[in-house]
Amino acid sequence: MLEKIERMAWLFDFYGPLLTDKQRRIVELHYENDWSLGEIAAEFGVSRQAIYDILKRAEKALEHYEQRLGLVGKFMGERQQLTEVYRLLKEMEVAGDDQSKKRALTLLEEVLGNGR
């Protein structure tokens, strides 16, 4: 469940503005503010089922945007590479390792090359 919440948070950060205002507000209340479907339904004056349906449509839309655009996947990949560069640089700081320096430079070139 935690993985789904984290994934929805990332998708919402990237693609939230593409949702309708109502979808955006419901996703925000549910995933970011941890409101239950009943609490959201009371806030909007509709049934839990209506909120559930809107939430599922919003989730599907966010997944669709990611499938088509892949921005979250690209971001996470680059983040992982930069984390590795940081680890290698810390390693070089301690040991002065030339192999770590070469690997760090290669990773940075990959990340920067992807941004062009």
Side-chain angles (χ1 to χ4, degrees), residues 70-87:
L71 298 176
V72 173
K74 182 178 179 191
F75 174 81
M76 296 306 275
E78 289 177 350
R79 184 177 177 184
Q80 186 176 7
Q81 287 178 306
L82 290 172
T83 299
E84 176 68 7
V85 169
Y86 176 78
R87 186 192 65 74

mmCIF file with all atom_site columns, all heavy atoms in Angstrom, residues 70-87:
data_model
loop_
_atom_site.group_PDB
_atom_site.id
_atom_site.type_symbol
_atom_site.label_atom_id
_atom_site.label_alt_id
_atom_site.label_comp_id
_atom_site.label_asym_id
_atom_site.label_entity_id
_atom_site.label_seq_id
_atom_site.pdbx_PDB_ins_code
_atom_site.Cartn_x
_atom_site.Cartn_y
_atom_site.Cartn_z
_atom_site.occupancy
_atom_site.B_iso_or_equiv
_atom_site.pdbx_formal_charge
_atom_site.auth_seq_id
_atom_site.auth_comp_id
_atom_site.auth_asym_id
_atom_site.auth_atom_id
_atom_site.pdbx_PDB_model_num
ATOM 1   N N   . GLY A 1 70 ? 6.369  9.040  -19.640 1.00 0.00 ? 70 GLY A N   1
ATOM 2   C CA  . GLY A 1 70 ? 7.488  8.451  -18.916 1.00 0.00 ? 70 GLY A CA  1
ATOM 3   C C   . GLY A 1 70 ? 8.342  9.408  -18.106 1.00 0.00 ? 70 GLY A C   1
ATOM 4   O O   . GLY A 1 70 ? 9.501  9.107  -17.819 1.00 0.00 ? 70 GLY A O   1
ATOM 5   N N   . LEU A 1 71 ? 7.787  10.535 -17.705 1.00 0.00 ? 71 LEU A N   1
ATOM 6   C CA  . LEU A 1 71 ? 8.583  11.537 -16.985 1.00 0.00 ? 71 LEU A CA  1
ATOM 7   C C   . LEU A 1 71 ? 9.019  11.071 -15.598 1.00 0.00 ? 71 LEU A C   1
ATOM 8   O O   . LEU A 1 71 ? 10.149 11.325 -15.181 1.00 0.00 ? 71 LEU A O   1
ATOM 9   C CB  . LEU A 1 71 ? 7.805  12.850 -16.876 1.00 0.00 ? 71 LEU A CB  1
ATOM 10  C CG  . LEU A 1 71 ? 7.451  13.535 -18.188 1.00 0.00 ? 71 LEU A CG  1
ATOM 11  C CD1 . LEU A 1 71 ? 6.603  14.768 -17.935 1.00 0.00 ? 71 LEU A CD1 1
ATOM 12  C CD2 . LEU A 1 71 ? 8.703  13.878 -18.976 1.00 0.00 ? 71 LEU A CD2 1
ATOM 13  N N   . VAL A 1 72 ? 8.142  10.385 -14.890 1.00 0.00 ? 72 VAL A N   1
ATOM 14  C CA  . VAL A 1 72 ? 8.486  9.911  -13.548 1.00 0.00 ? 72 VAL A CA  1
ATOM 15  C C   . VAL A 1 72 ? 9.572  8.850  -13.644 1.00 0.00 ? 72 VAL A C   1
ATOM 16  O O   . VAL A 1 72 ? 10.553 8.885  -12.893 1.00 0.00 ? 72 VAL A O   1
ATOM 17  C CB  . VAL A 1 72 ? 7.251  9.374  -12.794 1.00 0.00 ? 72 VAL A CB  1
ATOM 18  C CG1 . VAL A 1 72 ? 7.645  8.737  -11.473 1.00 0.00 ? 72 VAL A CG1 1
ATOM 19  C CG2 . VAL A 1 72 ? 6.244  10.489 -12.568 1.00 0.00 ? 72 VAL A CG2 1
ATOM 20  N N   . GLY A 1 73 ? 9.438  7.928  -14.573 1.00 0.00 ? 73 GLY A N   1
ATOM 21  C CA  . GLY A 1 73 ? 10.450 6.889  -14.758 1.00 0.00 ? 73 GLY A CA  1
ATOM 22  C C   . GLY A 1 73 ? 11.806 7.471  -15.095 1.00 0.00 ? 73 GLY A C   1
ATOM 23  O O   . GLY A 1 73 ? 12.836 7.051  -14.552 1.00 0.00 ? 73 GLY A O   1
ATOM 24  N N   . LYS A 1 74 ? 11.812 8.447  -15.988 1.00 0.00 ? 74 LYS A N   1
ATOM 25  C CA  . LYS A 1 74 ? 13.072 9.101  -16.363 1.00 0.00 ? 74 LYS A CA  1
ATOM 26  C C   . LYS A 1 74 ? 13.672 9.824  -15.158 1.00 0.00 ? 74 LYS A C   1
ATOM 27  O O   . LYS A 1 74 ? 14.869 9.712  -14.879 1.00 0.00 ? 74 LYS A O   1
ATOM 28  C CB  . LYS A 1 74 ? 12.839 10.086 -17.502 1.00 0.00 ? 74 LYS A CB  1
ATOM 29  C CG  . LYS A 1 74 ? 14.105 10.765 -17.959 1.00 0.00 ? 74 LYS A CG  1
ATOM 30  C CD  . LYS A 1 74 ? 13.862 11.708 -19.113 1.00 0.00 ? 74 LYS A CD  1
ATOM 31  C CE  . LYS A 1 74 ? 15.175 12.355 -19.498 1.00 0.00 ? 74 LYS A CE  1
ATOM 32  N NZ  . LYS A 1 74 ? 15.023 13.442 -20.419 1.00 0.00 ? 74 LYS A NZ  1
ATOM 33  N N   . PHE A 1 75 ? 12.837 10.540 -14.428 1.00 0.00 ? 75 PHE A N   1
ATOM 34  C CA  . PHE A 1 75 ? 13.305 11.259 -13.249 1.00 0.00 ? 75 PHE A CA  1
ATOM 35  C C   . PHE A 1 75 ? 13.896 10.306 -12.223 1.00 0.00 ? 75 PHE A C   1
ATOM 36  O O   . PHE A 1 75 ? 14.973 10.549 -11.670 1.00 0.00 ? 75 PHE A O   1
ATOM 37  C CB  . PHE A 1 75 ? 12.149 12.059 -12.633 1.00 0.00 ? 75 PHE A CB  1
ATOM 38  C CG  . PHE A 1 75 ? 12.500 12.719 -11.333 1.00 0.00 ? 75 PHE A CG  1
ATOM 39  C CD1 . PHE A 1 75 ? 13.197 13.914 -11.316 1.00 0.00 ? 75 PHE A CD1 1
ATOM 40  C CD2 . PHE A 1 75 ? 12.148 12.134 -10.125 1.00 0.00 ? 75 PHE A CD2 1
ATOM 41  C CE1 . PHE A 1 75 ? 13.538 14.520 -10.108 1.00 0.00 ? 75 PHE A CE1 1
ATOM 42  C CE2 . PHE A 1 75 ? 12.480 12.728 -8.921  1.00 0.00 ? 75 PHE A CE2 1
ATOM 43  C CZ  . PHE A 1 75 ? 13.180 13.923 -8.911  1.00 0.00 ? 75 PHE A CZ  1
ATOM 44  N N   . MET A 1 76 ? 13.196 9.186  -11.959 1.00 0.00 ? 76 MET A N   1
ATOM 45  C CA  . MET A 1 76 ? 13.671 8.226  -10.962 1.00 0.00 ? 76 MET A CA  1
ATOM 46  C C   . MET A 1 76 ? 14.987 7.587  -11.404 1.00 0.00 ? 76 MET A C   1
ATOM 47  O O   . MET A 1 76 ? 15.876 7.359  -10.586 1.00 0.00 ? 76 MET A O   1
ATOM 48  C CB  . MET A 1 76 ? 12.610 7.162  -10.693 1.00 0.00 ? 76 MET A CB  1
ATOM 49  C CG  . MET A 1 76 ? 11.329 7.723  -10.073 1.00 0.00 ? 76 MET A CG  1
ATOM 50  S SD  . MET A 1 76 ? 11.586 8.685  -8.584  1.00 0.00 ? 76 MET A SD  1
ATOM 51  C CE  . MET A 1 76 ? 11.620 7.388  -7.383  1.00 0.00 ? 76 MET A CE  1
ATOM 52  N N   . GLY A 1 77 ? 15.119 7.301  -12.681 1.00 0.00 ? 77 GLY A N   1
ATOM 53  C CA  . GLY A 1 77 ? 16.365 6.743  -13.197 1.00 0.00 ? 77 GLY A CA  1
ATOM 54  C C   . GLY A 1 77 ? 17.524 7.703  -13.020 1.00 0.00 ? 77 GLY A C   1
ATOM 55  O O   . GLY A 1 77 ? 18.623 7.318  -12.591 1.00 0.00 ? 77 GLY A O   1
ATOM 56  N N   . GLU A 1 78 ? 17.291 8.968  -13.347 1.00 0.00 ? 78 GLU A N   1
ATOM 57  C CA  . GLU A 1 78 ? 18.338 9.977  -13.186 1.00 0.00 ? 78 GLU A CA  1
ATOM 58  C C   . GLU A 1 78 ? 18.662 10.195 -11.715 1.00 0.00 ? 78 GLU A C   1
ATOM 59  O O   . GLU A 1 78 ? 19.826 10.379 -11.347 1.00 0.00 ? 78 GLU A O   1
ATOM 60  C CB  . GLU A 1 78 ? 17.923 11.289 -13.851 1.00 0.00 ? 78 GLU A CB  1
ATOM 61  C CG  . GLU A 1 78 ? 17.939 11.196 -15.363 1.00 0.00 ? 78 GLU A CG  1
ATOM 62  C CD  . GLU A 1 78 ? 17.463 12.454 -16.064 1.00 0.00 ? 78 GLU A CD  1
ATOM 63  O OE1 . GLU A 1 78 ? 16.923 13.368 -15.385 1.00 0.00 ? 78 GLU A OE1 1
ATOM 64  O OE2 . GLU A 1 78 ? 17.603 12.517 -17.294 1.00 0.00 ? 78 GLU A OE2 1
ATOM 65  N N   . ARG A 1 79 ? 17.659 10.150 -10.884 1.00 0.00 ? 79 ARG A N   1
ATOM 66  C CA  . ARG A 1 79 ? 17.875 10.300 -9.439  1.00 0.00 ? 79 ARG A CA  1
ATOM 67  C C   . ARG A 1 79 ? 18.744 9.164  -8.905  1.00 0.00 ? 79 ARG A C   1
ATOM 68  O O   . ARG A 1 79 ? 19.647 9.377  -8.097  1.00 0.00 ? 79 ARG A O   1
ATOM 69  C CB  . ARG A 1 79 ? 16.524 10.334 -8.733  1.00 0.00 ? 79 ARG A CB  1
ATOM 70  C CG  . ARG A 1 79 ? 16.609 10.573 -7.263  1.00 0.00 ? 79 ARG A CG  1
ATOM 71  C CD  . ARG A 1 79 ? 15.219 10.666 -6.670  1.00 0.00 ? 79 ARG A CD  1
ATOM 72  N NE  . ARG A 1 79 ? 15.320 10.823 -5.229  1.00 0.00 ? 79 ARG A NE  1
ATOM 73  C CZ  . ARG A 1 79 ? 14.312 10.864 -4.426  1.00 0.00 ? 79 ARG A CZ  1
ATOM 74  N NH1 . ARG A 1 79 ? 13.085 10.782 -4.907  1.00 0.00 ? 79 ARG A NH1 1
ATOM 75  N NH2 . ARG A 1 79 ? 14.478 11.005 -3.137  1.00 0.00 ? 79 ARG A NH2 1
ATOM 76  N N   . GLN A 1 80 ? 18.474 7.967  -9.385  1.00 0.00 ? 80 GLN A N   1
ATOM 77  C CA  . GLN A 1 80 ? 19.266 6.804  -8.972  1.00 0.00 ? 80 GLN A CA  1
ATOM 78  C C   . GLN A 1 80 ? 20.720 6.963  -9.435  1.00 0.00 ? 80 GLN A C   1
ATOM 79  O O   . GLN A 1 80 ? 21.650 6.667  -8.687  1.00 0.00 ? 80 GLN A O   1
ATOM 80  C CB  . GLN A 1 80 ? 18.654 5.531  -9.548  1.00 0.00 ? 80 GLN A CB  1
ATOM 81  C CG  . GLN A 1 80 ? 19.294 4.258  -9.071  1.00 0.00 ? 80 GLN A CG  1
ATOM 82  C CD  . GLN A 1 80 ? 18.569 3.030  -9.602  1.00 0.00 ? 80 GLN A CD  1
ATOM 83  O OE1 . GLN A 1 80 ? 17.671 3.120  -10.431 1.00 0.00 ? 80 GLN A OE1 1
ATOM 84  N NE2 . GLN A 1 80 ? 18.957 1.879  -9.112  1.00 0.00 ? 80 GLN A NE2 1
ATOM 85  N N   . GLN A 1 81 ? 20.916 7.438  -10.651 1.00 0.00 ? 81 GLN A N   1
ATOM 86  C CA  . GLN A 1 81 ? 22.268 7.654  -11.159 1.00 0.00 ? 81 GLN A CA  1
ATOM 87  C C   . GLN A 1 81 ? 22.993 8.722  -10.342 1.00 0.00 ? 81 GLN A C   1
ATOM 88  O O   . GLN A 1 81 ? 24.175 8.573  -10.027 1.00 0.00 ? 81 GLN A O   1
ATOM 89  C CB  . GLN A 1 81 ? 22.236 8.058  -12.633 1.00 0.00 ? 81 GLN A CB  1
ATOM 90  C CG  . GLN A 1 81 ? 21.895 6.917  -13.562 1.00 0.00 ? 81 GLN A CG  1
ATOM 91  C CD  . GLN A 1 81 ? 21.830 7.369  -14.997 1.00 0.00 ? 81 GLN A CD  1
ATOM 92  O OE1 . GLN A 1 81 ? 21.102 8.308  -15.327 1.00 0.00 ? 81 GLN A OE1 1
ATOM 93  N NE2 . GLN A 1 81 ? 22.576 6.704  -15.851 1.00 0.00 ? 81 GLN A NE2 1
ATOM 94  N N   . LEU A 1 82 ? 22.312 9.797  -10.013 1.00 0.00 ? 82 LEU A N   1
ATOM 95  C CA  . LEU A 1 82 ? 22.939 10.858 -9.221  1.00 0.00 ? 82 LEU A CA  1
ATOM 96  C C   . LEU A 1 82 ? 23.267 10.391 -7.803  1.00 0.00 ? 82 LEU A C   1
ATOM 97  O O   . LEU A 1 82 ? 24.285 10.804 -7.233  1.00 0.00 ? 82 LEU A O   1
ATOM 98  C CB  . LEU A 1 82 ? 22.046 12.101 -9.197  1.00 0.00 ? 82 LEU A CB  1
ATOM 99  C CG  . LEU A 1 82 ? 21.951 12.835 -10.533 1.00 0.00 ? 82 LEU A CG  1
ATOM 100 C CD1 . LEU A 1 82 ? 20.899 13.924 -10.465 1.00 0.00 ? 82 LEU A CD1 1
ATOM 101 C CD2 . LEU A 1 82 ? 23.295 13.405 -10.949 1.00 0.00 ? 82 LEU A CD2 1
ATOM 102 N N   . THR A 1 83 ? 22.446 9.520  -7.256  1.00 0.00 ? 83 THR A N   1
ATOM 103 C CA  . THR A 1 83 ? 22.736 8.944  -5.946  1.00 0.00 ? 83 THR A CA  1
ATOM 104 C C   . THR A 1 83 ? 24.016 8.114  -6.019  1.00 0.00 ? 83 THR A C   1
ATOM 105 O O   . THR A 1 83 ? 24.863 8.169  -5.123  1.00 0.00 ? 83 THR A O   1
ATOM 106 C CB  . THR A 1 83 ? 21.558 8.075  -5.461  1.00 0.00 ? 83 THR A CB  1
ATOM 107 O OG1 . THR A 1 83 ? 20.402 8.909  -5.350  1.00 0.00 ? 83 THR A OG1 1
ATOM 108 C CG2 . THR A 1 83 ? 21.844 7.424  -4.124  1.00 0.00 ? 83 THR A CG2 1
ATOM 109 N N   . GLU A 1 84 ? 24.161 7.374  -7.103  1.00 0.00 ? 84 GLU A N   1
ATOM 110 C CA  . GLU A 1 84 ? 25.372 6.582  -7.308  1.00 0.00 ? 84 GLU A CA  1
ATOM 111 C C   . GLU A 1 84 ? 26.598 7.490  -7.481  1.00 0.00 ? 84 GLU A C   1
ATOM 112 O O   . GLU A 1 84 ? 27.672 7.208  -6.951  1.00 0.00 ? 84 GLU A O   1
ATOM 113 C CB  . GLU A 1 84 ? 25.199 5.659  -8.520  1.00 0.00 ? 84 GLU A CB  1
ATOM 114 C CG  . GLU A 1 84 ? 26.420 4.853  -8.885  1.00 0.00 ? 84 GLU A CG  1
ATOM 115 C CD  . GLU A 1 84 ? 26.806 3.791  -7.874  1.00 0.00 ? 84 GLU A CD  1
ATOM 116 O OE1 . GLU A 1 84 ? 26.068 3.552  -6.898  1.00 0.00 ? 84 GLU A OE1 1
ATOM 117 O OE2 . GLU A 1 84 ? 27.877 3.189  -8.044  1.00 0.00 ? 84 GLU A OE2 1
ATOM 118 N N   . VAL A 1 85 ? 26.444 8.586  -8.212  1.00 0.00 ? 85 VAL A N   1
ATOM 119 C CA  . VAL A 1 85 ? 27.547 9.551  -8.368  1.00 0.00 ? 85 VAL A CA  1
ATOM 120 C C   . VAL A 1 85 ? 27.953 10.108 -7.007  1.00 0.00 ? 85 VAL A C   1
ATOM 121 O O   . VAL A 1 85 ? 29.144 10.192 -6.690  1.00 0.00 ? 85 VAL A O   1
ATOM 122 C CB  . VAL A 1 85 ? 27.155 10.704 -9.331  1.00 0.00 ? 85 VAL A CB  1
ATOM 123 C CG1 . VAL A 1 85 ? 28.168 11.830 -9.279  1.00 0.00 ? 85 VAL A CG1 1
ATOM 124 C CG2 . VAL A 1 85 ? 27.023 10.176 -10.745 1.00 0.00 ? 85 VAL A CG2 1
ATOM 125 N N   . TYR A 1 86 ? 26.981 10.447 -6.203  1.00 0.00 ? 86 TYR A N   1
ATOM 126 C CA  . TYR A 1 86 ? 27.273 10.962 -4.859  1.00 0.00 ? 86 TYR A CA  1
ATOM 127 C C   . TYR A 1 86 ? 28.062 9.932  -4.050  1.00 0.00 ? 86 TYR A C   1
ATOM 128 O O   . TYR A 1 86 ? 29.062 10.256 -3.416  1.00 0.00 ? 86 TYR A O   1
ATOM 129 C CB  . TYR A 1 86 ? 25.968 11.319 -4.133  1.00 0.00 ? 86 TYR A CB  1
ATOM 130 C CG  . TYR A 1 86 ? 26.194 11.772 -2.717  1.00 0.00 ? 86 TYR A CG  1
ATOM 131 C CD1 . TYR A 1 86 ? 26.632 13.061 -2.447  1.00 0.00 ? 86 TYR A CD1 1
ATOM 132 C CD2 . TYR A 1 86 ? 25.996 10.899 -1.650  1.00 0.00 ? 86 TYR A CD2 1
ATOM 133 C CE1 . TYR A 1 86 ? 26.867 13.482 -1.147  1.00 0.00 ? 86 TYR A CE1 1
ATOM 134 C CE2 . TYR A 1 86 ? 26.221 11.309 -0.345  1.00 0.00 ? 86 TYR A CE2 1
ATOM 135 C CZ  . TYR A 1 86 ? 26.653 12.602 -0.104  1.00 0.00 ? 86 TYR A CZ  1
ATOM 136 O OH  . TYR A 1 86 ? 26.895 13.004 1.186   1.00 0.00 ? 86 TYR A OH  1
ATOM 137 N N   . ARG A 1 87 ? 27.618 8.674  -4.111  1.00 0.00 ? 87 ARG A N   1
ATOM 138 C CA  . ARG A 1 87 ? 28.318 7.617  -3.374  1.00 0.00 ? 87 ARG A CA  1
ATOM 139 C C   . ARG A 1 87 ? 29.763 7.471  -3.877  1.00 0.00 ? 87 ARG A C   1
ATOM 140 O O   . ARG A 1 87 ? 30.696 7.371  -3.082  1.00 0.00 ? 87 ARG A O   1
ATOM 141 C CB  . ARG A 1 87 ? 27.582 6.287  -3.523  1.00 0.00 ? 87 ARG A CB  1
ATOM 142 C CG  . ARG A 1 87 ? 28.158 5.169  -2.660  1.00 0.00 ? 87 ARG A CG  1
ATOM 143 C CD  . ARG A 1 87 ? 27.626 3.806  -3.029  1.00 0.00 ? 87 ARG A CD  1
ATOM 144 N NE  . ARG A 1 87 ? 27.996 3.365  -4.365  1.00 0.00 ? 87 ARG A NE  1
ATOM 145 C CZ  . ARG A 1 87 ? 29.218 2.951  -4.719  1.00 0.00 ? 87 ARG A CZ  1
ATOM 146 N NH1 . ARG A 1 87 ? 30.199 2.951  -3.853  1.00 0.00 ? 87 ARG A NH1 1
ATOM 147 N NH2 . ARG A 1 87 ? 29.456 2.542  -5.955  1.00 0.00 ? 87 ARG A NH2 1
#
